[in-house]
Amino acid sequence: MQSVWIQNTTERYLLLMSANVLLHNVAKRRLCAHVQRLSFLKTQRLSSHVDNGEQKREERESLLLCKHSSYYQTRTSRSSHFSYLKTGKKIPGSLPSIPTFCQQGNSYSISSRNTLLNISGSESNQEALPKPNTNPSVSPDPRAFQRCRLDYSNMTHDISQRSSTSDLNEALVILNKVTILKNNMGASDITSFLHKLSQIPLKDTAVVRRDPRFSMLLQYSVAIIHTFTPQQLLDILKAFVNLDLPRSHSVLASYEAEFCEQASEMNLHQLLLAADLWRCLVRNVPKYLKKLYDNVSQNLNQMSPPELVQLIYIIGESRGCPETLVKSIESLLMRHLNELKPEELGAVCLGLFKAQTSLSERAVQRLVDRSLVVVKDMSDFGIVNVMKYLRFSYLDHLPWLEAMGVEVPRRAPQMEAQGLMHIILGFSALHYRDDRVLLAVAKQLPNVINQCRSKDAAKMLWAYGSLGFLPSQCPDLYPSLTALLRERQSEFQRFPEHLLTGLLGLAFAGLFPEDLLSLALSEEFVDRACKYQELELNRDLFTLDGTVGLELPESTIPRLSLAVREEVTKQLWDFAQSEICQKLEVLEAESMLQKLLGGEMFVRKHMILPHLRSIDLEVHLDQNDQPVSVTSGSCQRELASQNWEQKPFGITITDDLLAQLTNTQKTQLEPFNKFLQQPVPQRVEPVRESLLSVGIDLTDDLLTLLTNSSKHSPHPKDSRPSVKRLAVQVTNRNHYCYRTKQLLGLHALKRRHLTLAGYRVVELPHWEWFPLLRRSQAEKLAYLHCKIFNYRDC
C-alpha cells in the first residue's frame, strides 16, 4: 500500500511539474507574441512620424519645457529628450505629452473588501511634482549632495546605483509562481518576489508592469498589507521605484496609508528614507509627511547635519514647511552651519527657496557668509541656489554679490540657459547692477539660446530692461531673445504671462516689437490672460496698452477696451489710496506744497498716468510761474477722459466735428471701438461762405485752431500753453539700482512717459527729501520752492 501511495504521489508530482512547464511555455509564447505586436505598433508609429517629416519632431521639442536642474551643457540632453518621447512619461509642468501605451486592465480579482481597488494604474487627481533627475550622466543633480557623505546611504535611495542582477526570463518564472501560489503567499514571499522583479534591466520593466500576473501580485500584497514590517514596506517601496511604477498607480494609496499607520514604529532614518522613496516616485504624500514632521519635532536635538540637510531637501520638494518647524530648523541649521559642505549649503538654499520658507535676516546673513567662504569649491548649481534664496529673501549681501562679479564671468561659458537666467534674475530682484555679470551672461546667451524656454527669455528681458542695460552694450542680446519669443508663441497659449513679462522688459529698454504687441493686445489674448486673475495679468496689459498709446501713437496695434481700462484703474487707485498715498514722505510733501502754493486747490495727489501704477503730486503754474488751481472733480471721470497720446497741437478735424459744423449727416457708420483708433489730423482751408450759410460765425481764433496755424492769430506769442503742468515725484531707494542714481526700468519708463505727456517732472529724491523730514518747516519750504520754480542752485 505504501509503495502504491508513493507511486501515485510521484505521478501527481510529475503531472504537476509537466503542467507547470507547459504553462510556462504557453505564457512565454504569449509574451513573445505580445512583445512582437508592441514592436510592430511602435515601428508603425515611428514610420508614420518619419513620413510626416522632421517638422513635427521639432515642434514637439520646442514645446517641451527644460527640467529645473539643467544648468550645464550636456551631450546627453537630446538623447534624454528622445528617451522621454520613447517612454511617453510626462514631465510635470510641460505641455501634454505624446500618448503612450495604456496599462492593460486587470483580469484578476481578490476578496470583496478590495473590490474598489483599481490596480490598472489609471490616472488620479494626484498633484504633479517635478520629476527628479534620474539620469546619472546629466550634471548637476539636485540630489548630488547625497553623495557627499556615506551617512546619506541609510536615509536615501540612489537611483543611479540600481543594479540589474536578473533578466526577463527570471522575472517570468517569478510571475508564474504568483499564479501557482496565489493566496498562499506570505509577506516575505511577496517582498522577495518584488525585490527580484526590481533587479531586471530598466528597459524590461514596462513588460513586467503590463503583465496581468504583476497586477495580481500587487493585489495580493494589498490584501495582507497589515502584516508587513516597516523594513518590508521600505523594501517594497524601493522595488516600486526601481520598477518605475507610475505615481498615479492606485496601489500606492494603500501603501501610503500603511506607512502612516506604522510611522510610530519607524526610526528617523527609516522615516526619511520612506520620504525619499516617495519623492523618487514623484508622488505627493501630505499625510505621511505630517507624520514625519511630527517625529522630527520630537527628535530635533538628535539630528546630525546629513539628517538636517535631507529633511530640508524633503521640505523643499514637498513645497512647504510647517510653521511650527521653521524656528527649530533655523536653530539647528545655525548650530551645524560650519559643518556643512559646499553642495549641502546649496541644497539647503534650494530647499528653503522651493518651500518659500523665510529665515530671520541674521540667519540668512550667516548662511550666505558660510557659502561665501566655500564659494570656490561650490558648483555652479550651488551658486545658483544661493542666488535664488537671496532673491527670495531680498537680502543685499554685498560681499557675495561682489564675489559673483568674479565668479560668474569665469563660469558663464559652461553654464546653460536656466542657470544664467536665475543669476540675472537674482541681480535684477536685488536691484544690483554689475556690468561684469551682465556682459558675461549676455555674451554667452547666443550660444545657448536654443535651450531657452519662453519663460527664460521673458525673465531675462525683464531683468536686463529693469537694470537699464542698453541695447548698444550688447547688440545681439535683445534681438536674439525677441526672436525666441516669436519662435515660442505656441507656449503663450498656456503661459500668457511670459509674453507680457518679455514685452515689458523690452519697453523698459525702449524697444517695441509691433507684431508681439499686437498679439498681446489682441482680443483673444486679452480674454485668455484676464482669466488668470491670480496672476493679475490685466495690470501688465494695462501698462503695455498705455505704453503703446504714448510711444506708438500712429501704429495700428489694437488697444484695450474702455471697460478693462476703467476696471484696472479702479483697482490701482484703491491700492494707491490705502498704501502709497498714506506714506509719511508723500503726506509731508503734499502738506508743504499746499502751504507753499497757497492752498489745497493748488496740489492734487493722484495717478497722472494710471498705467504706470503709481501716484504723483500735480501742480499747475501759469506763464508767470504763479500757481493755478488744479481742476477738481471726480478722479475717475478725469482719468477716463484723459488722453496722453501724442497729437499735433491744435484741434483735430474729425468726421464728427465736420458734421456738427456743417449740420450734415455722416455717410459712414461709426466704428464700434472708435476709442481704440487714432483720429487722422486734416488740414482745411477756411471757406467762410459755406460755413456761414449754416449759421456758424468763424472768428480768427477759431480759424487759427482749425488750421493749426499761427499766421492768422493777432497774438502769436500766446500760442504757447497757458499752463505749465508739473508732476512732483517722491521717490525712494527701491526706484533705483542699488546705491546708484540710475532709475529701474518701470520708473525710468514712467519718467519718459510723463515727459511725452507734456509734464515737467520735479523729483524729490530720497537722498534729499528723507533727511529733510526731520528738519524745520522753513527748510522744507525753501527746498520745495527751489524745486518747483526750477532754480538751478537747488
Side-chain angles (χ1 to χ4, degrees):
M1 290 293 294
Q2 185 175 1
S3 61
V4 172
W5 180 82
I6 293 174
Q7 182 178 0
N8 292 337
T9 302
T10 303
E11 291 176 354
R12 285 197 296 272
Y13 177 77
L14 293 175
L15 182 61
L16 180 61
M17 291 299 295
S18 299
N20 285 342
V21 172
L22 180 60
L23 184 60
H24 172 71
N25 291 335
V26 171
K28 189 172 182 179
R29 285 196 296 271
R30 288 179 177 176
L31 178 62
C32 291
H34 180 63
V35 172
Q36 291 176 356
R37 185 163 57 254
L38 293 182
S39 301
F40 173 73
L41 292 174
K42 181 178 178 182
T43 303
Q44 273 193 327
R45 184 193 300 182
L46 291 177
S47 64
S48 66
H49 288 173
V50 172
D51 292 339
N52 290 334
E54 288 293 312
Q55 183 177 1
K56 288 188 176 181
R57 177 180 60 78
E58 293 175 357
E59 290 175 356
R60 289 197 300 270
E61 287 186 43
S62 67
L63 294 179
L64 290 175
L65 301 182
C66 302
K67 295 182 180 179
H68 68 280
S69 60
S70 302
Y71 291 109
Y72 288 78
Q73 298 183 48
T74 58
R75 295 182 181 180
T76 58
S77 58
R78 285 179 62 85
S79 62
S80 62
H81 166 65
F82 284 111
S83 176
Y84 156 73
L85 292 179
K86 180 178 179 181
T87 58
K89 297 197 70 174
K90 182 180 178 181
I91 299 176
S94 66
L95 297 181
S97 59
I98 300 171
T100 184
F101 291 110
C102 298
Q103 188 172 359
Q104 292 181 355
N106 175 36
S107 58
Y108 295 87
S109 62
I110 53 179
S111 59
S112 59
R113 63 175 178 161
N114 292 318
T115 54
L116 296 179
L117 180 65
N118 176 16
I119 308 294
S120 63
S122 61
E123 288 293 332
S124 64
N125 292 328
Q126 183 65 217
E127 181 182 351
L129 291 175
K131 185 75 174 178
N133 188 353
T134 58
N135 188 347
S137 64
V138 177
S139 179
D141 184 352
R143 300 165 62 89
F145 72 93
Q146 296 174 353
R147 293 187 282 275
C148 290
R149 307 174 192 250
L150 293 176
D151 307 74
Y152 286 106
S153 60
N154 297 325
M155 52 184 140
T156 64
H157 180 67
D158 191 350
I159 304 175
S160 65
Q161 300 300 318
R162 183 184 186 280
S163 59
S164 300
T165 57
S166 302
D167 58 20
L168 185 57
N169 289 330
E170 295 180 46
L172 296 177
V173 172
I174 293 171
L175 292 176
N176 190 47
K177 289 181 181 179
V178 172
T179 61
I180 297 172
L181 295 178
K182 295 184 178 180
N183 293 321
N184 295 326
M185 289 185 294
S188 59
D189 296 323
I190 292 176
T191 305
S192 176
F193 289 164
L194 287 172
H195 174 70
K196 291 178 181 177
L197 289 174
S198 68
Q199 299 297 309
I200 65 174
L202 186 61
K203 61 183 179 64
D204 296 326
T205 55
V207 176
V208 172
R209 291 197 307 271
R210 296 189 184 104
D211 195 298
R213 292 167 296 181
F214 178 71
S215 295
M216 184 169 66
L217 177 61
L218 296 183
Q219 293 181 52
Y220 290 149
S221 74
V222 172
I224 63 169
I225 195 170
H226 299 300
T227 66
F228 291 116
T229 65
Q231 187 57 50
Q232 287 174 331
L233 286 174
L234 289 170
D235 291 339
I236 290 175
L237 207 56
K238 286 181 184 177
F240 289 164
V241 172
N242 290 337
L243 286 167
D244 205 12
L245 203 67
R247 68 169 179 267
S248 59
H249 208 299
S250 55
V251 74
L252 296 178
S254 300
Y255 276 90
E256 180 190 354
E258 188 59 27
F259 268 97
C260 292
E261 288 290 328
Q262 299 196 28
S264 59
E265 303 174 21
M266 302 167 69
N267 60 41
L268 182 58
H269 280 190
Q270 290 177 319
L271 289 169
L272 289 172
L273 174 58
D276 197 56
L277 290 167
W278 287 117
R279 168 60 195 153
C280 292
L281 286 167
V282 204
R283 185 175 175 91
N284 190 22
V285 285
K287 293 181 180 178
Y288 174 77
L289 291 178
K290 185 178 184 303
K291 296 287 185 180
L292 168 65
Y293 298 150
D294 290 342
N295 182 282
V296 166
S297 299
Q298 300 169 9
N299 301 280
L300 272 172
N301 293 330
Q302 302 176 10
M303 295 187 70
S304 63
E307 292 166 339
L308 174 63
V309 176
Q310 178 63 18
L311 174 65
I312 294 176
Y313 167 77
I314 294 297
I315 287 173
E317 296 305 311
S318 61
R319 301 301 194 271
C321 179
E323 290 293 334
T324 55
L325 264 185
V326 175
K327 290 185 178 179
S328 300
I329 287 178
E330 178 178 324
S331 176
L332 199 58
L333 181 60
M334 294 300 101
R335 185 192 310 171
H336 295 303
L337 188 59
N338 292 332
E339 303 174 50
L340 299 183
K341 301 189 177 191
E343 290 312 297
E344 290 176 324
L345 290 167
V348 166
C349 289
L350 181 60
L352 295 173
F353 171 78
K354 286 184 175 181
Q356 300 292 282
T357 301
S358 298
L359 302 182
S360 67
E361 183 174 334
R362 176 178 172 274
V364 179
Q365 183 79 31
R366 288 191 56 194
L367 178 59
V368 183
D369 286 343
R370 173 60 183 162
S371 301
L372 182 61
V373 172
V374 296
V375 67
K376 299 292 183 183
D377 301 321
M378 189 176 286
S379 68
D380 297 355
F381 183 66
I383 284 178
V384 169
N385 292 337
V386 177
M387 285 298 304
K388 284 183 177 181
Y389 197 56
L390 275 178
R391 183 178 95 212
F392 169 74
S393 303
Y394 287 102
L395 177 67
D396 50 348
H397 194 290
L398 289 181
W400 173 269
L401 294 174
E402 283 295 324
M404 292 300 99
V406 176
E407 290 296 320
V408 173
R410 179 173 67 86
R411 297 167 181 258
Q414 71 262 15
M415 294 180 69
E416 280 200 354
Q418 287 191 6
L420 297 172
M421 180 270 288
H422 282 297
I423 292 288
I424 296 300
L425 191 60
F427 274 75
S428 174
L430 297 174
H431 301 170
Y432 189 85
R433 173 165 176 165
D434 188 324
D435 283 4
R436 295 173 297 176
V437 173
L438 297 179
L439 285 170
V441 174
K443 290 178 180 177
Q444 172 62 9
L445 274 178
N447 299 328
V448 296
I449 195 68
N450 292 331
Q451 302 167 2
C452 287
R453 307 164 295 179
S454 62
K455 176 181 179 179
D456 301 323
K459 289 190 174 182
M460 281 190 279
L461 284 171
W462 169 275
Y464 275 103
S466 293
L467 293 175
F469 192 80
L470 299 177
S472 59
Q473 293 180 264
C474 187
D476 295 335
L477 174 66
Y478 287 105
S480 60
L481 291 175
T482 306
L484 184 69
L485 290 182
R486 293 189 176 98
E487 293 175 6
R488 302 295 168 87
Q489 287 190 27
S490 58
E491 296 179 18
F492 303 145
Q493 299 290 327
R494 292 190 63 199
F495 307 107
E497 66 272 19
H498 297 166
L499 176 59
L500 304 184
T501 299
L503 288 175
L504 286 174
L506 287 167
F508 298 160
L511 302 173
F512 308 98
E514 296 196 21
D515 57 332
L516 293 177
L517 285 168
S518 297
L519 171 63
L521 293 172
S522 64
E523 183 178 355
E524 179 185 358
F525 188 92
V526 170
D527 289 343
R528 185 185 307 112
C530 287
K531 293 178 182 178
Y532 293 84
Q533 291 296 329
E534 68 278 4
L535 296 177
E536 299 180 346
L537 298 186
N538 49 2
R539 299 187 182 187
D540 290 343
L541 287 167
F542 189 39
T543 300
L544 285 175
D545 178 79
T547 299
V548 168
L550 280 166
E551 304 271 9
L552 306 171
E554 304 299 329
S555 72
T556 58
I557 297 173
R559 304 292 301 279
L560 291 181
S561 68
L562 182 60
V564 173
R565 294 183 190 180
E566 290 179 342
E567 178 186 358
V568 182
T569 299
K570 183 179 183 306
Q571 294 174 357
L572 294 171
W573 178 239
D574 290 344
F575 171 78
Q577 284 182 306
S578 62
E579 296 289 337
I580 305 175
C581 293
Q582 304 305 318
K583 290 184 177 181
L584 175 61
E585 61 270 20
V586 175
L587 292 173
E588 188 68 11
E590 181 184 24
S591 174
M592 290 297 102
L593 280 173
Q594 289 171 355
K595 291 180 180 179
L596 174 68
L597 300 176
E600 296 181 2
M601 73 287 296
F602 298 113
V603 182
R604 183 181 177 192
K605 180 172 59 180
H606 72 122
M607 296 187 299
I608 297 176
L609 299 178
H611 70 277
L612 292 172
R613 317 178 190 190
S614 55
I615 60 102
D616 300 285
L617 301 171
E618 184 170 1
V619 172
H620 290 178
L621 301 176
D622 63 15
Q623 294 182 3
N624 298 318
D625 282 346
Q626 295 300 310
V628 176
S629 176
V630 181
T631 305
S632 61
S634 171
C635 176
Q636 296 303 322
R637 284 201 309 271
E638 180 168 336
L639 291 174
S641 64
Q642 284 175 344
N643 185 1
W644 301 121
E645 299 172 9
Q646 292 175 310
K647 295 185 178 71
F649 177 73
I651 292 180
T652 301
I653 303 301
T654 64
D655 291 340
D656 286 335
L657 179 58
L658 288 176
Q660 293 175 18
L661 292 175
T662 60
N663 274 351
T664 59
Q665 298 294 326
K666 290 188 298 181
T667 58
Q668 295 182 348
L669 293 177
E670 183 176 332
F672 176 72
N673 56 346
K674 67 177 182 179
F675 56 85
L676 297 180
Q677 299 180 356
Q678 294 288 333
V680 180
Q682 305 177 34
R683 296 279 186 179
V684 297
E685 295 296 329
V687 183
R688 289 180 179 269
E689 291 76 16
S690 61
L691 294 178
L692 285 173
S693 63
V694 295
I696 295 179
D697 186 12
L698 286 184
T699 64
D700 289 337
D701 289 339
L702 179 58
L703 283 175
T704 300
L705 290 172
L706 289 175
T707 60
N708 195 18
S709 172
S710 61
K711 63 182 179 180
H712 299 286
S713 174
H715 308 291
K717 293 183 179 180
D718 293 338
S719 61
R720 298 178 303 166
S722 60
V723 175
K724 293 182 289 186
R725 296 177 297 178
L726 278 62
V728 181
Q729 291 186 322
V730 182
T731 59
N732 59 60
R733 67 174 188 171
N734 288 329
H735 294 174
Y736 297 88
C737 292
Y738 189 79
R739 293 187 177 179
T740 71
K741 295 183 180 180
Q742 177 185 327
L743 285 168
L744 292 167
L746 182 63
H747 307 289
L749 183 71
K750 177 180 178 179
R751 190 72 55 87
R752 193 165 77 230
H753 283 187
L754 284 170
T755 303
L756 288 173
Y759 282 83
R760 175 167 71 87
V761 178
V762 176
E763 181 185 3
L764 309 183
H766 65 91
W767 58 84
E768 294 177 356
W769 180 242
F770 281 40
L772 280 173
L773 297 179
R774 298 186 294 271
R775 309 295 288 272
S776 67
Q777 176 176 305
E779 290 176 286
K780 296 173 189 174
L781 290 174
Y783 173 80
L784 290 176
H785 186 276
C786 178
K787 285 285 186 180
I788 294 298
F789 298 106
N790 202 22
Y791 291 149
R792 295 183 179 274
D793 57 347
C794 61

